[in-house]
Amino acid sequence: MAGRERGTGRNGPAVGGDAPWARELLEHLRPAGRDVRRVAEWLAGAVNAAVGLRDAAGRLLAGERVPVDAALVADLASGRVASAAWEDGGRHLRLVGVARAYPETAAVLVVSREAPFDRRAADIVTHTAQVLELLVAGAESAAAGQRLRRAASDLRLAILQLLMVEDTVSARRVAAGLWPGLLDTDTACVYVVETDPADRDGLAEECLAATGERALVVRCPAVDGHVIVLSPREAAGDALRDLVGRRPGVYLGGSALQSLARTAIAYGQAVSALAIARFRPGNAAVYAERTRPEVLMDPASLRDWTAQVLRPLDALPHHTRAELLATARLGLEFTAVSTAKILGVSRNTVRARMDRVEALLGTDLSDLTVRAAVHLALNAEAGLTPCAVGGGTAGRVPVRLAELLAGRPLRTWAGDLLGRLDPDTRDLRGTLRTWIAVGGNAERAAQRLGVHAQTVREHVRSAEPVLEHELLAGGSDLYEVVLAHLAVGDLADPPLPGTKAGHPDSPVHG
């Protein structure tokens, strides 16, 4: 056995020398040729030998398996022995330790041939081992970088999920160690950027660069083509608009400025704005750009009505109440599967929480008018101060939803919105009204209207660009349209325990 030769000097030509084999070996360090298997194949041909590269556990990494003592391989991999050479039964062997700086990269190069190793063959083996060491170390460095990026991505998602359930304290603690100052704020905006799923990773990196890594950039766990960006800086919105403007087929939806505890609300707003962005020349839209029905309601009446609707949840422990409310907000916007991915829980957990909310409220969430009303209450509750939530309504006359929707500004908004559908000779408005009345079921609506279910779907889909609301996907856009129908009297008030029901003679069309 002999110690490993480190330098070259008089022991042979340097790797960068004039020897043809040295130039060939250098080619394997070019970006297109960095493959340990190709290097092992080249070495086998260069010295006319059987060549194998093993890791510390004896697993074959490249080449062929050459019989050799396992204990010796372990000694070489650990660094106890630098190299070894001997003759055994007419075979001449050389073993060289490779990339032993870290246990996970340690390997051993095994070369066996019939002829003795002359100076040329020995030099080729020595320098090939050095090239393999660079390649193995480089591959491990790249893998470590990838693991680090994946870990950072997972942490960003974990922070977002904590914010989604209003656990801002834990979210700040997690963020503080890695991104100091990121969540040292009371308010932030949420943006959702949409692209082709195949391009999402590149887009996420561009979003990080565009925001100067001073924003929470998360690959959406529910929608493959979405990137979620939470930023306390208003400049982030401008940077993202510029980014979207340079990339065709990419869309941006942004929320209004919200408190961190309302991240789930902000996320829903951003998704809603994203639907509008598809119809905008700049492929970008912000939630505040569109009039929302709740801002047209009397604030005191909205507060009292919200407290009445959600009063059954007030007796729950604070963390349980917050958890149920956060899940319900997302559950009314998205499917159980998507909500589970966003929150980082199982879909059975989401369904169990939704069932519990439904039971506590004593209502039926399969009814679209009920869903729209509960969605309104949940969003309004998120905007109330703690002292206003669930208090101050004792002894007051219960407020009906119809009273909230009876104000002139809201009725004007609803009439203008639904009036956009009137010029269409296909009676899109009548189809939409019937479709909502039967819970968004195209087959049942078709039976009522005497048409094919596909016709119903086409009518609803045709109404989307006219209303600038995404309807078939459900969520905030659909609930706003439902409220508009309630405001103009096209649908009856939903039955909500704790509030007065709609009048028996309330008009119901469809």
Side-chain angles (χ1 to χ4, degrees):
M1 297 187 183
R4 179 172 174 181
E5 296 173 354
R6 281 289 177 183
T8 52
R10 54 195 180 129
N11 292 322
V15 176
D18 295 331
W21 65 262
R23 291 192 293 272
E24 292 175 9
L25 183 57
L26 281 174
E27 289 295 320
H28 290 282
L29 289 176
R30 296 184 183 275
R34 294 172 184 173
D35 186 339
V36 294
R37 289 168 295 187
R38 291 175 59 184
V39 174
E41 292 173 2
W42 175 85
L43 176 60
V47 298
N48 191 24
V51 175
L53 183 67
R54 305 185 186 188
D55 65 11
R59 291 184 292 266
L60 190 66
L61 302 177
E64 59 184 286
R65 183 168 293 280
V66 180
V68 68
D69 183 66
L72 180 56
V73 171
D75 285 342
L76 284 155
S78 67
R80 288 190 291 270
V81 177
S83 63
W86 74 95
E87 187 271 334
D88 181 18
R91 302 289 299 181
H92 297 265
L93 292 96
R94 284 210 170 199
L95 278 68
V96 184
V98 172
R100 296 169 300 184
Y102 302 98
E104 60 269 19
T105 65
V108 176
L109 176 64
V110 182
V111 183
S112 173
R113 70 182 210 158
E114 295 180 357
F117 284 86
D118 55 16
R119 173 165 294 192
R120 174 182 178 277
D123 283 345
I124 293 175
V125 171
T126 297
H127 292 307
T128 301
Q130 294 171 354
V131 169
L132 286 170
E133 184 157 346
L134 291 174
L135 295 180
V136 171
E140 174 57 28
S141 177
Q146 180 62 29
R147 288 194 296 270
L148 181 60
R149 287 189 292 272
R150 189 181 303 115
S153 177
D154 290 344
L155 279 174
R156 291 189 185 100
L157 174 58
I159 293 168
L160 179 67
Q161 289 169 340
L162 288 169
L163 292 173
M164 287 287 191
V165 294
E166 303 181 18
D167 192 351
T168 56
V169 174
S170 297
R172 285 190 174 107
R173 285 174 179 169
V174 175
L178 295 170
W179 300 285
L182 178 63
L183 297 183
D184 290 349
T185 178
D186 294 325
T187 58
C189 290
V190 172
Y191 302 91
V192 177
V193 191
E194 181 180 73
T195 187
D196 186 275
D199 300 329
R200 182 172 70 165
D201 286 348
L203 179 64
E205 293 301 321
E206 289 191 47
C207 288
L208 277 170
T211 58
E213 298 194 9
R214 286 179 288 179
L216 190 67
V217 178
V218 178
R219 292 165 176 80
C220 179
V223 183
D224 290 341
H226 284 188
V227 176
I228 303 169
V229 181
L230 182 147
S231 175
R233 299 168 55 250
E234 294 183 5
D238 295 333
L240 293 173
R241 283 190 185 87
D242 291 342
L243 173 62
V244 168
R246 298 194 303 269
R247 297 186 58 154
V250 179
Y251 304 94
L252 171 69
S255 75
L257 192 66
Q258 300 286 358
S259 69
L260 286 182
R262 297 190 63 184
T263 297
I265 296 292
Y267 173 65
Q269 291 178 350
V271 172
S272 180
L274 183 64
I276 303 172
R278 299 187 183 98
F279 310 116
R280 293 289 176 85
N283 292 352
V286 176
Y287 185 83
E289 292 176 358
R290 193 166 83 191
T291 301
R292 302 296 165 174
E294 57 266 31
V295 304
L296 302 175
M297 299 175 186
D298 176 68
S301 296
L302 177 59
R303 180 177 61 249
D304 291 348
W305 176 82
T306 297
Q308 292 164 195
V309 173
L310 301 181
R311 184 177 293 118
L313 299 175
D314 292 345
L316 298 173
H318 173 75
H319 72 280
T320 302
R321 186 179 188 275
E323 186 176 72
L324 290 179
L325 289 177
T327 303
R329 289 186 190 111
L330 291 173
L332 290 175
E333 293 279 356
F334 309 102
T335 65
V337 174
S338 294
T339 301
K341 291 178 179 178
I342 293 168
L343 294 177
V345 298
S346 72
R347 59 184 177 183
N348 289 335
T349 298
V350 170
R351 291 190 177 111
R353 292 177 184 174
M354 293 298 292
D355 289 344
R356 188 176 181 188
V357 170
E358 187 177 52
L360 287 169
L361 297 183
T363 191
D364 179 11
L365 291 178
S366 65
D367 185 321
L368 269 180
T369 59
V370 171
R371 290 174 70 89
V374 173
H375 181 267
L376 172 63
L378 290 171
N379 281 356
E381 188 273 347
L384 298 177
T385 58
C387 62
V389 177
T393 62
R396 295 186 185 178
V397 177
V399 180
R400 287 195 307 116
L401 179 61
E403 296 170 10
L404 288 177
L405 304 177
R408 178 172 294 178
L410 189 64
R411 291 177 65 86
T412 300
W413 163 82
D416 290 344
L417 177 66
L418 298 180
R420 302 177 193 174
L421 301 174
D422 292 338
D424 197 297
T425 57
R426 293 172 292 176
D427 191 19
L428 298 184
R429 183 167 176 174
T431 301
L432 181 57
R433 179 174 59 238
T434 303
W435 178 74
I436 291 173
V438 296
N441 186 293
E443 286 73 17
R444 290 169 57 194
Q447 290 175 0
R448 286 198 181 187
L449 295 169
V451 297
H452 195 277
Q454 187 58 33
T455 300
V456 173
R457 296 188 187 95
E458 289 175 357
H459 283 194
V460 175
R461 191 175 290 110
S462 297
E464 290 183 328
V466 178
L467 299 176
E468 291 190 334
H469 282 64
E470 200 170 26
L471 304 175
L472 290 171
S476 297
D477 278 15
L478 174 58
Y479 300 143
E480 286 186 8
V481 174
V482 173
L483 291 177
H485 280 84
L486 291 169
V488 298
D490 283 359
L491 296 170
D493 286 358
L496 293 173
T499 66
K500 288 185 177 181
H503 295 302
D505 58 351
S506 295
V508 180
H509 302 280

